[in-house]
């Protein structure tokens, strides 16, 4: 009888591109990310970065593994860029790993702050911050058989922007200024909203690596 | 004319579950991972962890962002577990982020070491290593419309094993001993090989978090 006491999950079925767009094409963008400053001072760096980001226009929750932002695309990316630039320390190797999601069929309309206006909370004070970033990205268009052309379109946009460094096993490597990379991420999420139902965009950002 | 000089990528089309199984169901398993020890001694910790892992039965390449292992499933996981346990330091918060891939249609048969025998290179010296790990996982079954039941099957296996902690936005959180988590990851990749064409299994492992 112990079997019956287990709380199994049930996700039901997914109907690909026709469902999952909670709130429509301009609906919920979600982001779960972790900051890893490779320094004895990592606790202070992470907490300060999370605290100084203005998250008044996104749903925000930090747990023992990561932080989640949910809301309109521009506000999620604005908060994420504020957190990342706020965690930057001269000479400190730091990695941000982020899962950006659009149209997840398991999603709900709750915890999303979709009513926020267009005014960005953090951009005015961070738009002049510049430092070089090495990034790896992977796009996962879900629920469709022919997904590789979408991946190619997203990678080729990076080629056009001059931030494409190379293709490698399982990822594409980008190099560029922090502002250019976040502009590109905004474009990618716009592409996903327009062309895909459910898509996951996995991103890693690295600064001050001694391997460079 | 500058347009023509750009080196665009071409990934062609993907035919879902019928292609992409390079080397068959027991073909190439790939893993790209990054270690982030949050300590001033991170360089030594990472380099020592990478060096002490016996990678003689996998293809291995470390670049400025991450390390790639490719080969038979058991050897890729054996090398990954050796690297992770080798990077563990009492009291040091450390995160491993890994992308595990099976059947990528962009894959090639090169760089894979599929001819290796069954004998695990690292397991005898690491099988008695125990420490608690908090993990978040996400499974992305590619090229199929009805992918949610596969995600549920994989999450419910974690429920059966007693390592399921909770579902959260975009991930499932697991908690357990390092040996139990890696045994589960082996089961998940076996499930992918049996039931899915191309699948990506994104994993984060965290130890010694002060937030616990």
């Amino acid at each position: 009888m112990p079997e019956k006491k287990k709380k199994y999950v049930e996700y039901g079925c997914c109907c690909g591109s026709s469902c999952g767009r909670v709130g429509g094409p301009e609906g919920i963008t979600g982001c779960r990310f972790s900051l890893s400053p490779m320094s004895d001072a990592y606790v202070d760096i992470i907490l300060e970065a999370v605290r100084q980001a203005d998250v008044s226009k996104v749903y925000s929750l930090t747990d023992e593994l990561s932080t989640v932002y949910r809301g309109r695309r521009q506000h999620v990316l604005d908060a994420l860029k504020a957190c990342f630039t706020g965690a930057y320390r001269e000479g400190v190797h730091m990695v941000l790993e982020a899962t950006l999601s659009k149209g997840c069929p398991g999603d709900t309309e709750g915890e999303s702050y979709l009513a926020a206006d267009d005014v960005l909370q953090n951009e005015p004070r961070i738009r002049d911050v510049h430092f070089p970033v090495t990034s790896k990205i992977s796009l996962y268009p879900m629920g469709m058989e022919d997904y590789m052309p979408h991946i190619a379109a997203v990678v080729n946009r990076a080629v056009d922007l001059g931030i494409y460094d190379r293709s490698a096993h399982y990822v594409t490597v980008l190099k560029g200024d922090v502002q250019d990379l976040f502009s590109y991420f905004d474009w990618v999420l716009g592409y996903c909203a327009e062309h895909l139902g459910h898509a996951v965009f996995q991103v890693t950002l690295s600064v001050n690596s001694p391997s460079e």
Side-chain angles (χ1 to χ4, degrees), chain A:
Chain A
M1 297 299 280
E3 300 299 324
K4 292 200 174 176
K5 290 180 185 167
K6 285 178 181 164
K7 287 186 184 172
Y8 289 112
V9 300
E10 274 183 53
Y11 295 133
C13 71
C14 176
C15 34
S17 58
S18 63
C19 76
R21 297 193 184 208
V22 178
E26 285 305 313
I28 302 171
T29 295
C31 175
R32 176 178 287 276
F33 70 97
S34 305
L35 288 166
S36 298
M38 276 160 259
S39 157
D40 287 351
Y42 74 96
V43 172
D44 290 341
I45 295 174
I46 294 172
L47 292 182
E48 192 183 314
V50 170
R51 281 177 195 148
Q52 56 84 48
D54 185 332
V55 294
S56 55
K57 288 182 182 167
V58 294
Y59 166 83
S60 171
L61 178 68
T62 297
D63 63 25
E64 79 275 39
L65 280 167
S66 44
T67 293
V68 171
Y69 292 156
R70 285 159 57 78
R72 296 180 63 197
R73 181 173 99 221
Q74 61 265 54
H75 294 308
V76 168
L77 285 172
D78 179 62
L80 183 66
K81 187 162 81 170
C83 206
F84 181 60
T85 55
Y88 183 90
R89 295 289 183 282
E90 197 74 34
V92 174
H93 179 30
M94 186 257 295
V95 168
L96 180 144
E97 177 248 313
T99 303
L100 290 151
S101 174
K102 193 89 180 60
C104 176
D107 214 343
T108 61
E109 295 197 36
E111 306 176 341
S112 62
Y113 286 52
L114 289 182
D117 65 24
D118 287 343
V119 180
L120 298 178
Q121 297 300 104
N122 298 282
E123 183 67 8
R125 70 178 175 83
I126 60 174
R127 69 178 148 217
D128 294 325
V129 176
H130 297 284
F131 51 81
V133 179
T134 300
S135 174
K136 61 184 168 77
I137 59 163
S138 300
L139 178 70
Y140 306 118
M142 304 303 296
M144 53 167 58
E145 289 202 5
D146 197 21
Y147 54 97
M148 294 302 278
H150 294 292
I151 298 174
V154 161
V155 171
N156 285 330
R157 174 71 179 181
V159 173
D160 277 336
L161 294 171
I163 56 176
Y164 173 88
D165 184 68
R166 67 187 189 274
S167 295
H169 286 303
Y170 317 120
V171 298
T172 298
V173 178
L174 311 177
K175 298 195 180 191
D177 183 78
V178 61
Q179 301 291 341
D180 296 333
L181 286 175
F182 273 87
S183 296
Y184 169 68
F185 298 157
D186 183 59
W187 184 90
V188 173
L189 293 179
Y191 180 94
C192 292
E194 190 175 343
H195 297 281
L196 305 172
H198 177 202
V200 173
F201 186 49
Q202 181 73 26
V203 171
T204 303
L205 303 174
S206 169
V207 297
N208 296 321
S209 168
S211 312
E212 295 280 345

